[in-house]
Amino acid sequence: IVLLSELNRLVVFVMAVIECTDLTKLYGQFTALKELNLAIEQGTSFGLLGENGAGKSTLVRLLMGFIFPTSGQLHVLGEAQVMRAHTRVGYVPERPFFERRVSGRGYLLHFGRLLGLRDPVLHQHVDELLERVHLRDAAARTVGGYSKGMQQRLAIAQALLTDPDLLILDEPTSGLDPRSQWEIRQLIQGLRSQGKTVLLCSHYLAEVQELCDSICILRRGEMILSGTVAELVTAHNAVEIVLAAHLQAWSLVDSLGLPEQSILSAQENRLVIQGEAQAQVLELLVQAQIPLISLQPQQKTLEEVYVRVTDRANREVAATFLQSTMIGDK
């Protein structure tokens, strides 16, 4: 039993690519990150969300070892000294910097040699990466002549030089045109399909909903929500029933005696009902031989979830401030 318990503990530890326990970072009197508890499992694509100043950049800097925690614990790929994990981490900053006079291939060859890769394997590896990020035809051109989207793809190629276990992407599509955004998203999808662990910081919530398995939302250094994207965008206790196109949902409510108290919406050929009424409503529709197109839990967008959660957090802060002010006046 002891051995089994220890094995389970070891499996959980190995699976947690990023693990934060009560992680806190202070800058003087300012709290940038407060008692963050977070675990990101191997193979997960994880979205880190929050407004500017929420603590996202601070967390990324801590993960990369650029700064150090004030208190709490942090492990990256099992390393408490996160710098030791650097060769297994690929990092793409929000604004990558390049020597503009160097070619794309020359840039990757230079950094490959700095990382200890050697010819001829290095040349083959670089060519494969250039092909993967769709830059092979532009490999001989100087980076100064690259568009912003091409530079971002080159930065991802650099991050992949060591075939890392973890990729940290900070606003990878920020400021790009729609075509370049699509190309970067395709690259990230490819990394997901390979089983890479991806930490994605982004303000584009539709992008995060498309690319990420799980997310957390930070606000003023504190986590206010976390969970899987699939769970968060499912409207709890609401089911949408789509009827045949020629039917009007509202007319069936009275004619079939559907339980009005369970009808959340009846528009055109769509009924939205409370989940617990699903069996009763379906039975009535089937008995009346009403043709159905589909039935599924109602979905929300991640943007709607984000706005609702942050609004609620803002109201709670305002109420706490008002209460403290009233106590102070007394």
PDB file of all heavy atoms in Angstrom, residues 58-96:
ATOM      1  N   THR A  58       4.064  38.520 -14.892  1.00  0.00           N
ATOM      2  CA  THR A  58       4.834  38.159 -13.697  1.00  0.00           C
ATOM      3  C   THR A  58       4.968  36.653 -13.584  1.00  0.00           C
ATOM      4  O   THR A  58       6.060  36.131 -13.309  1.00  0.00           O
ATOM      5  CB  THR A  58       4.153  38.722 -12.432  1.00  0.00           C
ATOM      6  OG1 THR A  58       4.190  40.146 -12.478  1.00  0.00           O
ATOM      7  CG2 THR A  58       4.855  38.240 -11.171  1.00  0.00           C
ATOM      8  N   LEU A  59       3.871  35.934 -13.828  1.00  0.00           N
ATOM      9  CA  LEU A  59       3.931  34.472 -13.751  1.00  0.00           C
ATOM     10  C   LEU A  59       4.879  33.913 -14.802  1.00  0.00           C
ATOM     11  O   LEU A  59       5.681  33.018 -14.513  1.00  0.00           O
ATOM     12  CB  LEU A  59       2.530  33.882 -13.922  1.00  0.00           C
ATOM     13  CG  LEU A  59       2.458  32.352 -13.906  1.00  0.00           C
ATOM     14  CD1 LEU A  59       3.041  31.785 -12.628  1.00  0.00           C
ATOM     15  CD2 LEU A  59       1.016  31.880 -14.109  1.00  0.00           C
ATOM     16  N   VAL A  60       4.813  34.439 -16.017  1.00  0.00           N
ATOM     17  CA  VAL A  60       5.707  33.958 -17.077  1.00  0.00           C
ATOM     18  C   VAL A  60       7.159  34.213 -16.700  1.00  0.00           C
ATOM     19  O   VAL A  60       8.032  33.344 -16.873  1.00  0.00           O
ATOM     20  CB  VAL A  60       5.363  34.630 -18.427  1.00  0.00           C
ATOM     21  CG1 VAL A  60       6.455  34.354 -19.457  1.00  0.00           C
ATOM     22  CG2 VAL A  60       4.016  34.135 -18.935  1.00  0.00           C
ATOM     23  N   ARG A  61       7.465  35.381 -16.163  1.00  0.00           N
ATOM     24  CA  ARG A  61       8.847  35.684 -15.755  1.00  0.00           C
ATOM     25  C   ARG A  61       9.309  34.759 -14.645  1.00  0.00           C
ATOM     26  O   ARG A  61      10.478  34.342 -14.603  1.00  0.00           O
ATOM     27  CB  ARG A  61       8.941  37.141 -15.303  1.00  0.00           C
ATOM     28  CG  ARG A  61       8.725  38.152 -16.430  1.00  0.00           C
ATOM     29  CD  ARG A  61       9.014  39.564 -15.957  1.00  0.00           C
ATOM     30  NE  ARG A  61       8.677  40.542 -16.978  1.00  0.00           N
ATOM     31  CZ  ARG A  61       7.656  41.386 -16.899  1.00  0.00           C
ATOM     32  NH1 ARG A  61       6.861  41.365 -15.821  1.00  0.00           N
ATOM     33  NH2 ARG A  61       7.412  42.240 -17.865  1.00  0.00           N
ATOM     34  N   LEU A  62       8.409  34.415 -13.739  1.00  0.00           N
ATOM     35  CA  LEU A  62       8.755  33.462 -12.679  1.00  0.00           C
ATOM     36  C   LEU A  62       9.029  32.081 -13.273  1.00  0.00           C
ATOM     37  O   LEU A  62       9.992  31.403 -12.882  1.00  0.00           O
ATOM     38  CB  LEU A  62       7.613  33.377 -11.660  1.00  0.00           C
ATOM     39  CG  LEU A  62       7.436  34.573 -10.725  1.00  0.00           C
ATOM     40  CD1 LEU A  62       6.079  34.508 -10.022  1.00  0.00           C
ATOM     41  CD2 LEU A  62       8.564  34.626  -9.687  1.00  0.00           C
ATOM     42  N   LEU A  63       8.197  31.659 -14.211  1.00  0.00           N
ATOM     43  CA  LEU A  63       8.371  30.351 -14.834  1.00  0.00           C
ATOM     44  C   LEU A  63       9.696  30.260 -15.585  1.00  0.00           C
ATOM     45  O   LEU A  63      10.330  29.198 -15.630  1.00  0.00           O
ATOM     46  CB  LEU A  63       7.219  30.061 -15.798  1.00  0.00           C
ATOM     47  CG  LEU A  63       5.834  29.892 -15.176  1.00  0.00           C
ATOM     48  CD1 LEU A  63       4.768  29.789 -16.263  1.00  0.00           C
ATOM     49  CD2 LEU A  63       5.789  28.667 -14.276  1.00  0.00           C
ATOM     50  N   MET A  64      10.128  31.374 -16.172  1.00  0.00           N
ATOM     51  CA  MET A  64      11.361  31.397 -16.941  1.00  0.00           C
ATOM     52  C   MET A  64      12.589  31.658 -16.063  1.00  0.00           C
ATOM     53  O   MET A  64      13.717  31.589 -16.546  1.00  0.00           O
ATOM     54  CB  MET A  64      11.280  32.464 -18.027  1.00  0.00           C
ATOM     55  CG  MET A  64      10.265  32.158 -19.127  1.00  0.00           C
ATOM     56  SD  MET A  64      10.587  30.573 -19.949  1.00  0.00           S
ATOM     57  CE  MET A  64      12.223  30.858 -20.627  1.00  0.00           C
ATOM     58  N   GLY A  65      12.376  31.969 -14.795  1.00  0.00           N
ATOM     59  CA  GLY A  65      13.507  32.220 -13.908  1.00  0.00           C
ATOM     60  C   GLY A  65      14.110  33.596 -14.072  1.00  0.00           C
ATOM     61  O   GLY A  65      15.218  33.848 -13.589  1.00  0.00           O
ATOM     62  N   PHE A  66      13.389  34.516 -14.735  1.00  0.00           N
ATOM     63  CA  PHE A  66      13.893  35.890 -14.887  1.00  0.00           C
ATOM     64  C   PHE A  66      13.779  36.658 -13.571  1.00  0.00           C
ATOM     65  O   PHE A  66      14.554  37.584 -13.311  1.00  0.00           O
ATOM     66  CB  PHE A  66      13.107  36.638 -15.969  1.00  0.00           C
ATOM     67  CG  PHE A  66      13.178  35.998 -17.328  1.00  0.00           C
ATOM     68  CD1 PHE A  66      12.155  36.175 -18.259  1.00  0.00           C
ATOM     69  CD2 PHE A  66      14.261  35.206 -17.710  1.00  0.00           C
ATOM     70  CE1 PHE A  66      12.210  35.595 -19.518  1.00  0.00           C
ATOM     71  CE2 PHE A  66      14.327  34.620 -18.965  1.00  0.00           C
ATOM     72  CZ  PHE A  66      13.294  34.818 -19.867  1.00  0.00           C
ATOM     73  N   ILE A  67      12.783  36.296 -12.757  1.00  0.00           N
ATOM     74  CA  ILE A  67      12.605  36.852 -11.418  1.00  0.00           C
ATOM     75  C   ILE A  67      12.340  35.687 -10.477  1.00  0.00           C
ATOM     76  O   ILE A  67      12.154  34.547 -10.924  1.00  0.00           O
ATOM     77  CB  ILE A  67      11.443  37.872 -11.364  1.00  0.00           C
ATOM     78  CG1 ILE A  67      10.139  37.215 -11.841  1.00  0.00           C
ATOM     79  CG2 ILE A  67      11.759  39.121 -12.194  1.00  0.00           C
ATOM     80  CD1 ILE A  67       8.922  38.108 -11.734  1.00  0.00           C
ATOM     81  N   PHE A  68      12.299  35.971  -9.178  1.00  0.00           N
ATOM     82  CA  PHE A  68      12.168  34.905  -8.190  1.00  0.00           C
ATOM     83  C   PHE A  68      10.980  35.173  -7.271  1.00  0.00           C
ATOM     84  O   PHE A  68      10.630  36.329  -7.008  1.00  0.00           O
ATOM     85  CB  PHE A  68      13.454  34.778  -7.375  1.00  0.00           C
ATOM     86  CG  PHE A  68      14.666  34.497  -8.214  1.00  0.00           C
ATOM     87  CD1 PHE A  68      15.506  35.529  -8.610  1.00  0.00           C
ATOM     88  CD2 PHE A  68      14.936  33.209  -8.635  1.00  0.00           C
ATOM     89  CE1 PHE A  68      16.606  35.286  -9.396  1.00  0.00           C
ATOM     90  CE2 PHE A  68      16.044  32.948  -9.435  1.00  0.00           C
ATOM     91  CZ  PHE A  68      16.880  33.985  -9.823  1.00  0.00           C
ATOM     92  N   PRO A  69      10.344  34.094  -6.778  1.00  0.00           N
ATOM     93  CA  PRO A  69       9.172  34.273  -5.910  1.00  0.00           C
ATOM     94  C   PRO A  69       9.535  34.971  -4.601  1.00  0.00           C
ATOM     95  O   PRO A  69      10.650  34.808  -4.083  1.00  0.00           O
ATOM     96  CB  PRO A  69       8.701  32.840  -5.648  1.00  0.00           C
ATOM     97  CG  PRO A  69       9.352  31.999  -6.699  1.00  0.00           C
ATOM     98  CD  PRO A  69      10.635  32.668  -7.032  1.00  0.00           C
ATOM     99  N   THR A  70       8.584  35.716  -4.076  1.00  0.00           N
ATOM    100  CA  THR A  70       8.724  36.260  -2.723  1.00  0.00           C
ATOM    101  C   THR A  70       8.445  35.171  -1.702  1.00  0.00           C
ATOM    102  O   THR A  70       9.131  35.077  -0.679  1.00  0.00           O
ATOM    103  CB  THR A  70       7.751  37.441  -2.520  1.00  0.00           C
ATOM    104  OG1 THR A  70       8.015  38.441  -3.515  1.00  0.00           O
ATOM    105  CG2 THR A  70       7.912  38.045  -1.132  1.00  0.00           C
ATOM    106  N   SER A  71       7.446  34.345  -1.976  1.00  0.00           N
ATOM    107  CA  SER A  71       7.131  33.201  -1.118  1.00  0.00           C
ATOM    108  C   SER A  71       6.378  32.169  -1.942  1.00  0.00           C
ATOM    109  O   SER A  71       5.981  32.415  -3.087  1.00  0.00           O
ATOM    110  CB  SER A  71       6.294  33.638   0.092  1.00  0.00           C
ATOM    111  OG  SER A  71       5.053  34.176  -0.323  1.00  0.00           O
ATOM    112  N   GLY A  72       6.167  31.004  -1.352  1.00  0.00           N
ATOM    113  CA  GLY A  72       5.503  29.914  -2.052  1.00  0.00           C
ATOM    114  C   GLY A  72       6.488  29.055  -2.825  1.00  0.00           C
ATOM    115  O   GLY A  72       7.706  29.282  -2.775  1.00  0.00           O
ATOM    116  N   GLN A  73       5.956  28.088  -3.542  1.00  0.00           N
ATOM    117  CA  GLN A  73       6.787  27.136  -4.280  1.00  0.00           C
ATOM    118  C   GLN A  73       6.402  27.110  -5.753  1.00  0.00           C
ATOM    119  O   GLN A  73       5.243  27.300  -6.111  1.00  0.00           O
ATOM    120  CB  GLN A  73       6.648  25.732  -3.688  1.00  0.00           C
ATOM    121  CG  GLN A  73       7.143  25.617  -2.252  1.00  0.00           C
ATOM    122  CD  GLN A  73       7.029  24.199  -1.724  1.00  0.00           C
ATOM    123  OE1 GLN A  73       6.486  23.319  -2.394  1.00  0.00           O
ATOM    124  NE2 GLN A  73       7.526  23.981  -0.527  1.00  0.00           N
ATOM    125  N   LEU A  74       7.399  26.838  -6.583  1.00  0.00           N
ATOM    126  CA  LEU A  74       7.204  26.766  -8.032  1.00  0.00           C
ATOM    127  C   LEU A  74       8.081  25.658  -8.592  1.00  0.00           C
ATOM    128  O   LEU A  74       9.276  25.584  -8.276  1.00  0.00           O
ATOM    129  CB  LEU A  74       7.581  28.107  -8.679  1.00  0.00           C
ATOM    130  CG  LEU A  74       7.638  28.149 -10.211  1.00  0.00           C
ATOM    131  CD1 LEU A  74       6.263  27.878 -10.789  1.00  0.00           C
ATOM    132  CD2 LEU A  74       8.159  29.494 -10.693  1.00  0.00           C
ATOM    133  N   HIS A  75       7.484  24.788  -9.386  1.00  0.00           N
ATOM    134  CA  HIS A  75       8.227  23.735 -10.081  1.00  0.00           C
ATOM    135  C   HIS A  75       7.894  23.793 -11.571  1.00  0.00           C
ATOM    136  O   HIS A  75       6.723  23.901 -11.949  1.00  0.00           O
ATOM    137  CB  HIS A  75       7.875  22.352  -9.553  1.00  0.00           C
ATOM    138  CG  HIS A  75       8.373  22.087  -8.163  1.00  0.00           C
ATOM    139  ND1 HIS A  75       7.695  22.490  -7.029  1.00  0.00           N
ATOM    140  CD2 HIS A  75       9.508  21.471  -7.726  1.00  0.00           C
ATOM    141  CE1 HIS A  75       8.375  22.123  -5.955  1.00  0.00           C
ATOM    142  NE2 HIS A  75       9.470  21.504  -6.346  1.00  0.00           N
ATOM    143  N   VAL A  76       8.915  23.737 -12.393  1.00  0.00           N
ATOM    144  CA  VAL A  76       8.748  23.663 -13.842  1.00  0.00           C
ATOM    145  C   VAL A  76       9.447  22.396 -14.311  1.00  0.00           C
ATOM    146  O   VAL A  76      10.656  22.238 -14.107  1.00  0.00           O
ATOM    147  CB  VAL A  76       9.343  24.891 -14.552  1.00  0.00           C
ATOM    148  CG1 VAL A  76       9.228  24.746 -16.059  1.00  0.00           C
ATOM    149  CG2 VAL A  76       8.647  26.170 -14.091  1.00  0.00           C
ATOM    150  N   LEU A  77       8.669  21.486 -14.888  1.00  0.00           N
ATOM    151  CA  LEU A  77       9.193  20.187 -15.331  1.00  0.00           C
ATOM    152  C   LEU A  77       9.939  19.490 -14.195  1.00  0.00           C
ATOM    153  O   LEU A  77      10.990  18.881 -14.393  1.00  0.00           O
ATOM    154  CB  LEU A  77      10.103  20.374 -16.552  1.00  0.00           C
ATOM    155  CG  LEU A  77       9.376  20.878 -17.803  1.00  0.00           C
ATOM    156  CD1 LEU A  77      10.376  21.357 -18.854  1.00  0.00           C
ATOM    157  CD2 LEU A  77       8.495  19.779 -18.389  1.00  0.00           C
ATOM    158  N   GLY A  78       9.387  19.616 -12.990  1.00  0.00           N
ATOM    159  CA  GLY A  78       9.945  18.957 -11.820  1.00  0.00           C
ATOM    160  C   GLY A  78      11.086  19.685 -11.158  1.00  0.00           C
ATOM    161  O   GLY A  78      11.583  19.247 -10.121  1.00  0.00           O
ATOM    162  N   GLU A  79      11.521  20.821 -11.716  1.00  0.00           N
ATOM    163  CA  GLU A  79      12.666  21.555 -11.177  1.00  0.00           C
ATOM    164  C   GLU A  79      12.197  22.727 -10.318  1.00  0.00           C
ATOM    165  O   GLU A  79      11.446  23.591 -10.770  1.00  0.00           O
ATOM    166  CB  GLU A  79      13.539  22.096 -12.309  1.00  0.00           C
ATOM    167  CG  GLU A  79      14.175  21.029 -13.191  1.00  0.00           C
ATOM    168  CD  GLU A  79      15.339  20.321 -12.499  1.00  0.00           C
ATOM    169  OE1 GLU A  79      15.700  20.714 -11.374  1.00  0.00           O
ATOM    170  OE2 GLU A  79      15.888  19.382 -13.099  1.00  0.00           O
ATOM    171  N   ALA A  80      12.658  22.753  -9.067  1.00  0.00           N
ATOM    172  CA  ALA A  80      12.382  23.899  -8.206  1.00  0.00           C
ATOM    173  C   ALA A  80      13.248  25.088  -8.618  1.00  0.00           C
ATOM    174  O   ALA A  80      12.821  26.247  -8.520  1.00  0.00           O
ATOM    175  CB  ALA A  80      12.644  23.543  -6.745  1.00  0.00           C
ATOM    176  N   GLN A  81      14.473  24.816  -9.079  1.00  0.00           N
ATOM    177  CA  GLN A  81      15.309  25.859  -9.665  1.00  0.00           C
ATOM    178  C   GLN A  81      15.012  25.862 -11.164  1.00  0.00           C
ATOM    179  O   GLN A  81      15.604  25.102 -11.934  1.00  0.00           O
ATOM    180  CB  GLN A  81      16.780  25.579  -9.389  1.00  0.00           C
ATOM    181  CG  GLN A  81      17.130  25.591  -7.903  1.00  0.00           C
ATOM    182  CD  GLN A  81      18.616  25.378  -7.657  1.00  0.00           C
ATOM    183  OE1 GLN A  81      19.450  25.783  -8.457  1.00  0.00           O
ATOM    184  NE2 GLN A  81      18.935  24.728  -6.542  1.00  0.00           N
ATOM    185  N   VAL A  82      14.090  26.718 -11.558  1.00  0.00           N
ATOM    186  CA  VAL A  82      13.493  26.610 -12.889  1.00  0.00           C
ATOM    187  C   VAL A  82      14.503  26.822 -14.008  1.00  0.00           C
ATOM    188  O   VAL A  82      14.282  26.356 -15.133  1.00  0.00           O
ATOM    189  CB  VAL A  82      12.317  27.597 -13.026  1.00  0.00           C
ATOM    190  CG1 VAL A  82      11.210  27.241 -12.050  1.00  0.00           C
ATOM    191  CG2 VAL A  82      12.766  29.026 -12.814  1.00  0.00           C
ATOM    192  N   MET A  83      15.615  27.498 -13.744  1.00  0.00           N
ATOM    193  CA  MET A  83      16.632  27.689 -14.788  1.00  0.00           C
ATOM    194  C   MET A  83      17.173  26.353 -15.285  1.00  0.00           C
ATOM    195  O   MET A  83      17.602  26.238 -16.432  1.00  0.00           O
ATOM    196  CB  MET A  83      17.773  28.556 -14.254  1.00  0.00           C
ATOM    197  CG  MET A  83      17.381  29.979 -13.892  1.00  0.00           C
ATOM    198  SD  MET A  83      17.067  31.002 -15.335  1.00  0.00           S
ATOM    199  CE  MET A  83      18.735  31.295 -15.903  1.00  0.00           C
ATOM    200  N   ARG A  84      17.140  25.341 -14.437  1.00  0.00           N
ATOM    201  CA  ARG A  84      17.633  24.023 -14.839  1.00  0.00           C
ATOM    202  C   ARG A  84      16.753  23.379 -15.908  1.00  0.00           C
ATOM    203  O   ARG A  84      17.179  22.453 -16.599  1.00  0.00           O
ATOM    204  CB  ARG A  84      17.704  23.102 -13.613  1.00  0.00           C
ATOM    205  CG  ARG A  84      18.758  23.502 -12.594  1.00  0.00           C
ATOM    206  CD  ARG A  84      18.776  22.513 -11.447  1.00  0.00           C
ATOM    207  NE  ARG A  84      19.841  22.800 -10.491  1.00  0.00           N
ATOM    208  CZ  ARG A  84      20.055  22.106  -9.358  1.00  0.00           C
ATOM    209  NH1 ARG A  84      19.268  21.074  -9.085  1.00  0.00           N
ATOM    210  NH2 ARG A  84      21.032  22.440  -8.553  1.00  0.00           N
ATOM    211  N   ALA A  85      15.523  23.850 -16.033  1.00  0.00           N
ATOM    212  CA  ALA A  85      14.601  23.279 -17.014  1.00  0.00           C
ATOM    213  C   ALA A  85      14.650  24.005 -18.348  1.00  0.00           C
ATOM    214  O   ALA A  85      13.920  23.641 -19.284  1.00  0.00           O
ATOM    215  CB  ALA A  85      13.178  23.328 -16.453  1.00  0.00           C
ATOM    216  N   HIS A  86      15.524  25.016 -18.494  1.00  0.00           N
ATOM    217  CA  HIS A  86      15.497  25.885 -19.667  1.00  0.00           C
ATOM    218  C   HIS A  86      15.645  25.148 -20.993  1.00  0.00           C
ATOM    219  O   HIS A  86      14.990  25.501 -21.974  1.00  0.00           O
ATOM    220  CB  HIS A  86      16.576  26.963 -19.542  1.00  0.00           C
ATOM    221  CG  HIS A  86      16.036  28.245 -18.996  1.00  0.00           C
ATOM    222  ND1 HIS A  86      16.694  29.444 -19.043  1.00  0.00           N
ATOM    223  CD2 HIS A  86      14.859  28.523 -18.379  1.00  0.00           C
ATOM    224  CE1 HIS A  86      15.971  30.392 -18.484  1.00  0.00           C
ATOM    225  NE2 HIS A  86      14.855  29.854 -18.062  1.00  0.00           N
ATOM    226  N   THR A  87      16.485  24.130 -21.046  1.00  0.00           N
ATOM    227  CA  THR A  87      16.686  23.439 -22.319  1.00  0.00           C
ATOM    228  C   THR A  87      15.451  22.645 -22.735  1.00  0.00           C
ATOM    229  O   THR A  87      15.345  22.226 -23.884  1.00  0.00           O
ATOM    230  CB  THR A  87      17.886  22.485 -22.239  1.00  0.00           C
ATOM    231  OG1 THR A  87      17.689  21.557 -21.168  1.00  0.00           O
ATOM    232  CG2 THR A  87      19.183  23.264 -22.022  1.00  0.00           C
ATOM    233  N   ARG A  88      14.522  22.455 -21.816  1.00  0.00           N
ATOM    234  CA  ARG A  88      13.291  21.711 -22.108  1.00  0.00           C
ATOM    235  C   ARG A  88      12.086  22.628 -22.245  1.00  0.00           C
ATOM    236  O   ARG A  88      10.952  22.172 -22.312  1.00  0.00           O
ATOM    237  CB  ARG A  88      13.045  20.673 -21.013  1.00  0.00           C
ATOM    238  CG  ARG A  88      14.171  19.639 -20.902  1.00  0.00           C
ATOM    239  CD  ARG A  88      14.074  18.890 -19.578  1.00  0.00           C
ATOM    240  NE  ARG A  88      12.824  18.166 -19.453  1.00  0.00           N
ATOM    241  CZ  ARG A  88      12.344  17.744 -18.288  1.00  0.00           C
ATOM    242  NH1 ARG A  88      12.986  17.996 -17.157  1.00  0.00           N
ATOM    243  NH2 ARG A  88      11.196  17.079 -18.246  1.00  0.00           N
ATOM    244  N   VAL A  89      12.352  23.943 -22.242  1.00  0.00           N
ATOM    245  CA  VAL A  89      11.282  24.932 -22.354  1.00  0.00           C
ATOM    246  C   VAL A  89      11.530  25.806 -23.578  1.00  0.00           C
ATOM    247  O   VAL A  89      12.630  26.319 -23.782  1.00  0.00           O
ATOM    248  CB  VAL A  89      11.215  25.827 -21.099  1.00  0.00           C
ATOM    249  CG1 VAL A  89      10.117  26.890 -21.263  1.00  0.00           C
ATOM    250  CG2 VAL A  89      10.956  24.992 -19.849  1.00  0.00           C
ATOM    251  N   GLY A  90      10.509  25.964 -24.414  1.00  0.00           N
ATOM    252  CA  GLY A  90      10.574  26.900 -25.526  1.00  0.00           C
ATOM    253  C   GLY A  90       9.752  28.128 -25.192  1.00  0.00           C
ATOM    254  O   GLY A  90       8.596  28.000 -24.784  1.00  0.00           O
ATOM    255  N   TYR A  91      10.345  29.312 -25.360  1.00  0.00           N
ATOM    256  CA  TYR A  91       9.685  30.546 -24.949  1.00  0.00           C
ATOM    257  C   TYR A  91       9.625  31.525 -26.111  1.00  0.00           C
ATOM    258  O   TYR A  91      10.639  31.800 -26.758  1.00  0.00           O
ATOM    259  CB  TYR A  91      10.454  31.169 -23.778  1.00  0.00           C
ATOM    260  CG  TYR A  91       9.981  32.543 -23.360  1.00  0.00           C
ATOM    261  CD1 TYR A  91       8.637  32.786 -23.075  1.00  0.00           C
ATOM    262  CD2 TYR A  91      10.892  33.596 -23.234  1.00  0.00           C
ATOM    263  CE1 TYR A  91       8.212  34.049 -22.683  1.00  0.00           C
ATOM    264  CE2 TYR A  91      10.470  34.861 -22.840  1.00  0.00           C
ATOM    265  CZ  TYR A  91       9.128  35.082 -22.559  1.00  0.00           C
ATOM    266  OH  TYR A  91       8.710  36.325 -22.183  1.00  0.00           O
ATOM    267  N   VAL A  92       8.424  32.041 -26.381  1.00  0.00           N
ATOM    268  CA  VAL A  92       8.234  33.066 -27.399  1.00  0.00           C
ATOM    269  C   VAL A  92       7.670  34.302 -26.711  1.00  0.00           C
ATOM    270  O   VAL A  92       6.500  34.307 -26.314  1.00  0.00           O
ATOM    271  CB  VAL A  92       7.279  32.602 -28.514  1.00  0.00           C
ATOM    272  CG1 VAL A  92       7.085  33.713 -29.547  1.00  0.00           C
ATOM    273  CG2 VAL A  92       7.819  31.344 -29.193  1.00  0.00           C
ATOM    274  N   PRO A  93       8.473  35.357 -26.542  1.00  0.00           N
ATOM    275  CA  PRO A  93       7.981  36.572 -25.887  1.00  0.00           C
ATOM    276  C   PRO A  93       6.997  37.317 -26.765  1.00  0.00           C
ATOM    277  O   PRO A  93       6.884  37.037 -27.971  1.00  0.00           O
ATOM    278  CB  PRO A  93       9.257  37.389 -25.650  1.00  0.00           C
ATOM    279  CG  PRO A  93      10.195  36.931 -26.713  1.00  0.00           C
ATOM    280  CD  PRO A  93       9.882  35.471 -26.949  1.00  0.00           C
ATOM    281  N   GLU A  94       6.298  38.273 -26.169  1.00  0.00           N
ATOM    282  CA  GLU A  94       5.304  39.037 -26.925  1.00  0.00           C
ATOM    283  C   GLU A  94       5.962  39.827 -28.056  1.00  0.00           C
ATOM    284  O   GLU A  94       5.407  39.943 -29.150  1.00  0.00           O
ATOM    285  CB  GLU A  94       4.554  39.992 -25.994  1.00  0.00           C
ATOM    286  CG  GLU A  94       3.480  40.800 -26.701  1.00  0.00           C
ATOM    287  CD  GLU A  94       2.698  41.684 -25.752  1.00  0.00           C
ATOM    288  OE1 GLU A  94       2.973  41.652 -24.535  1.00  0.00           O
ATOM    289  OE2 GLU A  94       1.810  42.417 -26.220  1.00  0.00           O
ATOM    290  N   ARG A  95       7.149  40.360 -27.807  1.00  0.00           N
ATOM    291  CA  ARG A  95       7.855  41.136 -28.834  1.00  0.00           C
ATOM    292  C   ARG A  95       9.256  40.551 -29.025  1.00  0.00           C
ATOM    293  O   ARG A  95      10.225  41.032 -28.435  1.00  0.00           O
ATOM    294  CB  ARG A  95       7.945  42.612 -28.425  1.00  0.00           C
ATOM    295  CG  ARG A  95       6.587  43.284 -28.285  1.00  0.00           C
ATOM    296  CD  ARG A  95       6.733  44.750 -27.874  1.00  0.00           C
ATOM    297  NE  ARG A  95       5.436  45.386 -27.686  1.00  0.00           N
ATOM    298  CZ  ARG A  95       4.744  45.362 -26.553  1.00  0.00           C
ATOM    299  NH1 ARG A  95       5.243  44.726 -25.505  1.00  0.00           N
ATOM    300  NH2 ARG A  95       3.577  45.966 -26.460  1.00  0.00           N
ATOM    301  N   PRO A  96       9.375  39.498 -29.820  1.00  0.00           N
ATOM    302  CA  PRO A  96      10.701  38.908 -30.046  1.00  0.00           C
ATOM    303  C   PRO A  96      11.632  39.892 -30.741  1.00  0.00           C
ATOM    304  O   PRO A  96      11.196  40.691 -31.577  1.00  0.00           O
ATOM    305  CB  PRO A  96      10.414  37.691 -30.930  1.00  0.00           C
ATOM    306  CG  PRO A  96       9.022  37.815 -31.385  1.00  0.00           C
ATOM    307  CD  PRO A  96       8.315  38.808 -30.554  1.00  0.00           C
TER     308      PRO A  96
END
